Amino acid sequence: MTRLELRNVRKSFGALEVLAGISLHVAAGEFVSILGPSGAGKSTLFQLLTGALKGEGDMRFDGAPLDDHGRHFAFMPQRDALMPWRRVIDNVTLGLEVQGMKRREAREQVAPLFAEFGLAGFERAWPAELSGGMRQRAALLRTVVQQRDMLLLDEPFGALDALTRAAMQRWLEGMWRRHRWTALLITHDVREAVSLSDRIYLLSSRPARIVSEIAVPLSRPRAAGSDAARQAAVLEAEILDTLLNPGADRASFPQTAQRRSS
Amino acid sequence: MERRRPLRVGRAWALYARRPPLSPSATSPPQGGRSAAAIAKAIPAAISFTLLLAAWELYARYGGVTHGMLPAPSRVLLQAWENRAALADNTLPTIRATLAGFACSLAAAFVLSALVDFLTPLRRALFPLLIVSQTLPLVAIAPLIVLWFGFGLMPKIFLVALVTFFPMMVALVEGFAATNKEISQMLAAMGAGRWRIFWLARLPSALPYFFAGLRISITYAVVGAIFAEYAGAAKGLGIYMLNAKNNFRPDLVLAAVAVSAVLTLALSGLAVLIHRLAMPWENAGSESRDGKPSGESR
Ligand SMILES: Nc1ncnc2c1ncn2[C@@H]1O[C@H](COP(=O)(O)OP(=O)(O)OP(=O)(O)O)[C@@H](O)[C@H]1O
Ligand SMILES: [Mg+2]
């Protein structure tokens, strides 16, 4: 069942054309990534979805036009956006509080999740006391506890070192297998997209359009050593190739993936 | 999207207030040594201060000036002690005027800055007015205000507010504008309205600016109160200084100056204390660098 569907979504800032007709869809329980170069307009697309910006084109959720913004999405901004003046647990409950839940009740609801997110014992810490990876997990926890229809994750691990990022990607894959969130992930890390997604949309540089749509029919988990991991590495190399040679003939695209031009 | 740009106001305190908020403080000393480091930091100031006083003392005693011209610090101190009752009697009204004026100024700055934050055009209407208010020479304004409002508390409150309102207002407006865009955007996506975003994000974001402004303008407040009293008052450090001067008692003038200096230092110390208490997260980053999660100990 298709949940989110965008048709020919466009956005310009004055003379600067940022999004030049984006069409994509996300089905229920599907993990979809948008992979594109820096400055392409990925964050701008999320701003259109959350209603922070207005654009042109058709955006639908469950078939209905997306005008009552902020109902369907739990949004994780590009930088963790933790409030330094709130303790970790109060950062995590923020979305519930905004929805009108009492702070005590919200705390009771999120507290059991801290262990799963590797944050046990840090409920009362300040965000400044967390490591980079912990901050991202806290921000992710803040996002998922809102229990919205769909997660919008804007480069959740972009600011992390390579090792922590790899660990976080593996952790997130495990979390996703357990919870099966419907998620749209922005990234410019090819490996991240391949290891996490069911499908990947490749974005051109600005003005952004969808260059190709790649299914990732690999079994999970895709941890190192598995067959899936080997196939993922091949796919990863091929996507990288496509991104770095946008003009090249893309007919020889991976056997592991099916490409639909859009 | 974000509607405002940072204000450009060419005043020293505005620069001061523009420090980046909440950077996990690079200035705070390592764990445990905070008080020792604070004392170590104070040593150079103590030395220069002592040297200055000593030089002054020597010059006043052996430099061939009468104490009617330049009294030695020791004499100022002695006279302050002998006139302690009169000094205390005149300090209280100054404290009262300072605090009352500052409280009014804070309340007004808070309300107006919040209004300006919600209604951007209001800023264009108000700020030129406020900037002009800062160009008024106090020497000329103070007597006029006493003329209009009399010798009571009113003119003091007014003058204190006049000199402190603008810095506080700018600090707050700038603080609100310094709110992380992604935080506001995320709150909006969560379904928070403008008032909710103001309360949850903009207000806390303004705290570092607020306290930077507070520390500076509380010192202006004392000066403002003394100025108002100088222009006319029944009691107060300002009028005490004026009388001492007219009686050719520079030692008593300086004694009152010393009292006002102590008062100013105490008030700005109080502001720092409130700052520390109100923002316990500011020094949080430096604690857990050693690996010990302070979250567990709390
Ligand atoms: N509010 C705005 N006003 C004007 N231009 C903007 C605005 N927001 C974004 N842009 C421009 O739109 C382009 C795309 O920005 P966007 O933040 O969406 O990129 P991105 O794909 O998320 O990049 P990155 O991967 O570096 O985060 C950039 O050139 C940026 O300068
Ligand atoms: Mg971005």
Side-chain angles (χ1 to χ4, degrees), chain A residues 19 40-50 53 75 78-79 154-155 186 203, chain B residues 182 185:
Chain A
L19 299 177
K42 304 182 297 295
S43 298
T44 304
L45 184 65
F46 271 14
Q47 287 181 308
L48 294 177
L49 288 174
T50 58
L53 290 175
F75 167 55
Q78 186 160 357
R79 281 157 288 271
D154 192 348
E155 292 189 37
I186 285 177
L203 227 56
Chain B
E182 289 188 307
Q185 201 192 317

Side-chain angles (χ1 to χ4, degrees), chain A residues 112-257:
Chain A
L113 297 167
F114 270 67
E116 199 180 357
F117 277 72
L119 294 166
F122 286 86
E123 291 84 353
R124 310 258 313 138
W126 299 109
E129 294 168 321
L130 302 185
S131 70
M134 292 168 84
R135 289 180 70 100
Q136 296 300 322
R137 288 200 294 272
L140 201 63
L141 181 53
R142 177 191 59 200
T143 312
V144 302
V145 295
Q146 296 172 40
Q147 301 200 311
R148 296 290 168 103
D149 300 327
M150 185 170 168
L151 304 181
L152 299 180
L153 310 175
D154 192 348
E155 292 189 37
F157 311 132
L160 300 178
D161 63 279
L163 204 59
T164 313
R165 193 190 309 160
M168 290 289 293
Q169 285 161 5
R170 192 171 294 185
W171 171 83
L172 181 60
E173 200 210 343
M175 292 296 286
W176 182 81
R177 275 190 287 128
R178 193 122 40 100
H179 297 277
R180 297 281 160 172
W181 301 302
T182 307
L184 187 56
L185 170 90
I186 285 177
T187 180
H188 46 218
D189 180 341
V190 181
R191 176 165 301 166
E192 183 168 298
V194 172
S195 68
L196 290 170
S197 320
D198 297 317
R199 274 187 306 122
I200 301 171
Y201 288 101
L202 285 193
L203 227 56
S204 70
S205 53
R206 201 185 61 228
R209 53 184 91 245
I210 298 215
V211 179
S212 71
E213 178 191 340
I214 302 162
V216 189
L218 302 179
S219 61
R220 294 172 190 267
R222 298 169 181 169
S226 64
D227 256 7
R230 267 183 298 279
Q231 288 171 309
V234 174
L235 185 55
E236 195 186 311
E238 283 165 348
I239 293 176
L240 210 52
D241 213 40
T242 318
L243 281 174
L244 296 178
N245 306 297
D249 173 26
R250 264 183 256 107
S252 62
F253 210 77
Q255 307 86 0
T256 42

